[in-house]
Amino acid sequence: MPVSATSGLGGTIEMNRKTAIARRGALVGIASSALLAAMPLHAANTNGTAETDISEALALTQISVLDFGTIIPSATAGNIVINRNNGNCTAQGGVTLIGTDCQRGEFLISGPSSQDVRITIPAAPVTLSRQGGGATMTMDQVRINGGFNKRLDASGQRTFYVAGRLQVGVNQSAGIYDGTFNVTVDYR
């Protein structure tokens, strides 16, 4: 049975009830399809994993001081050289080295067994200042024995030595001179 309705424009619209119901059903179907298309048809999830490895901190200890010994200057400049590999001390130019207190500095690294590490030392120069002021000397070379990359032994330790060359001026002022330099060890 046809149904008729009057439109606001003065015309008549006719349709039968089956057609109207079918059209409403189609609209509901389209709306439902749009809603379903926005939602996943199949969802999946899983748990992720996070992890870390906490390593033992490295320790660096100075065992002995880098000591250029007792020096007698002269009217000619000179230098003291400490061999980084064997610790031998040599006076060059117009300086004389007396006594036996000249030595390379010794450092001990402690950390995990068989760990690879890298040592960093300062680029020269390092200034040594006279206690009480008034004079300085320059360590113009800073060296370590062997390479900068080292491996700790099975007990987690490794010793290395720092040496260098100290420039002694003409008639260098008497006194005790000291200076500091930074030595760093990092995981490699």
Side-chain angles (χ1 to χ4, degrees), residues 15-29:
M15 66 174 85
N16 67 34
R17 283 184 184 224
K18 286 184 183 178
T19 305
I21 292 171
R23 286 191 180 172
R24 270 189 242 139
L27 289 175
V28 170

Side-chain angles (χ1 to χ4, degrees), residues 59-85:
L60 180 61
T61 306
Q62 185 173 13
I63 303 300
S64 60
V65 174
L66 171 59
D67 190 339
F68 286 96
T70 303
I71 303 165
I72 299 174
S74 72
T76 304
N79 56 58
I80 303 296
V81 177
I82 302 175
N83 183 294
R84 63 184 167 186
N85 295 314

Side-chain angles (χ1 to χ4, degrees), residues 29-126:
I30 291 171
S32 297
S33 295
L35 183 59
L36 288 175
M39 296 173 40
L41 295 178
H42 179 274
N45 66 26
T46 187
N47 292 326
T49 303
E51 66 179 33
T52 186
D53 181 5
I54 305 295
S55 292
E56 177 183 342
L58 295 173
L60 180 61
T61 306
Q62 185 173 13
I63 303 300
S64 60
V65 174
L66 171 59
D67 190 339
F68 286 96
T70 303
I71 303 165
I72 299 174
S74 72
T76 304
N79 56 58
I80 303 296
V81 177
I82 302 175
N83 183 294
R84 63 184 167 186
N85 295 314
N86 60 24
N88 290 340
C89 298
T90 306
Q92 299 173 338
V95 297
T96 303
L97 185 62
I98 60 172
T100 58
D101 53 347
C102 182
Q103 66 181 17
R104 59 192 174 165
E106 182 180 2
F107 292 82
L108 174 67
I109 306 168
S110 299
S113 173
S114 303
Q115 177 63 50
D116 289 327
V117 297
R118 177 155 180 83
I119 300 165
T120 305
I121 58 172
V126 174

Side-chain angles (χ1 to χ4, degrees), residues 58-61 84 105-110 115-123 142-153 157-163 181-188:
L58 295 173
L60 180 61
T61 306
R84 63 184 167 186
E106 182 180 2
F107 292 82
L108 174 67
I109 306 168
S110 299
Q115 177 63 50
D116 289 327
V117 297
R118 177 155 180 83
I119 300 165
T120 305
I121 58 172
V142 182
R143 305 280 189 261
I144 66 170
N145 67 307
F148 292 104
N149 295 326
K150 309 269 189 207
R151 176 168 286 166
L152 305 184
D153 63 19
Q157 296 190 331
R158 179 69 183 253
T159 299
F160 69 95
Y161 299 92
V162 177
F181 56 92
N182 190 38
V183 179
T184 304
V185 62
D186 292 305
Y187 281 99
R188 180 171 67 90

